[in-house]
Amino acid sequence: MGRKESIYKLREVLLKRRSALRKALAGDLTELEALRDAAGGDEVDLALDSAYDEMSAQLAEMESRELIQIEKALERMEEGTYGICEITGKPIPLARLQALPYTTVRIEAQRELERQAEEADGYSGTNFGGLLDAGHGLPLTPSDVEAT
């Protein structure tokens, strides 16, 4: 199967995921509203409701970020720029796209971004911020990536 066919299949995956996320987010909002309407009970009930609200809000935030990334990936597909690294301009390997279909950078570029973030923060531990491939705020040129 060629790259074009693989990208078409990834488009279908992104569309299904987008639909699922939209439904989940709509459901999360309904549940939160129902909890607020049913306010009552003792302090323990209120504390549990508050904790549930917080977890639901955090989950909804993560799902919202993923939904935005999916929308951007679908836009890049329409523009013909999907699968091209925003930093190096090189094609992103299909294996990376299949693992993270909304990624915008090659793995080498992502590693360099994480290394730069660690240096800027003065932290040498594991950076889990890249797991969601949430983006890149640090300047990076193609020569920076090729040097690694």
Side-chain angles (χ1 to χ4, degrees):
M1 175 184 331
R3 186 171 177 90
K4 194 172 186 175
E5 293 86 15
S6 294
I7 287 177
Y8 180 78
K9 285 190 176 192
L10 286 171
R11 181 179 183 277
E12 296 302 315
V13 168
L14 286 168
L15 289 170
K16 287 178 184 175
R17 181 67 181 156
R18 179 179 70 177
S19 177
L21 284 169
R22 285 178 175 172
K23 288 177 184 175
L25 286 168
D28 284 347
L29 295 176
T30 303
E31 287 180 30
L32 286 174
E33 289 172 6
L35 281 173
R36 283 190 204 103
D37 292 341
D42 62 13
E43 290 179 28
V44 173
D45 287 339
L46 292 174
L48 289 173
D49 288 346
S50 177
Y52 180 77
D53 284 352
E54 180 64 26
M55 288 188 306
S56 293
Q58 289 178 4
L59 181 59
E61 183 180 335
M62 285 177 46
E63 290 172 341
S64 293
R65 281 194 302 245
E66 183 179 359
L67 183 59
I68 290 168
Q69 290 174 320
I70 288 171
E71 293 287 354
K72 288 179 180 178
L74 292 169
E75 287 174 16
R76 287 191 308 275
M77 284 181 177
E78 287 182 23
E79 296 167 354
T81 59
Y82 179 80
I84 305 298
C85 180
E86 290 181 339
I87 295 172
T88 66
K90 297 178 182 178
I92 300 170
L94 283 175
R96 176 144 169 90
L97 290 172
Q98 289 167 342
L100 196 62
Y102 45 77
T103 189
T104 61
V105 295
R106 294 171 57 94
I107 192 93
E108 300 85 6
Q110 183 68 37
R111 286 182 183 144
E112 179 61 19
L113 289 167
E114 290 171 4
R115 186 189 64 75
Q116 286 183 7
E118 287 175 2
E119 287 177 4
D121 293 339
Y123 179 71
S124 61
T126 303
N127 180 358
F128 293 104
L131 289 177
L132 292 177
D133 204 37
H136 45 80
L138 298 174
L140 185 68
T141 64
S143 60
D144 293 333
V145 175
E146 292 167 1
T148 60

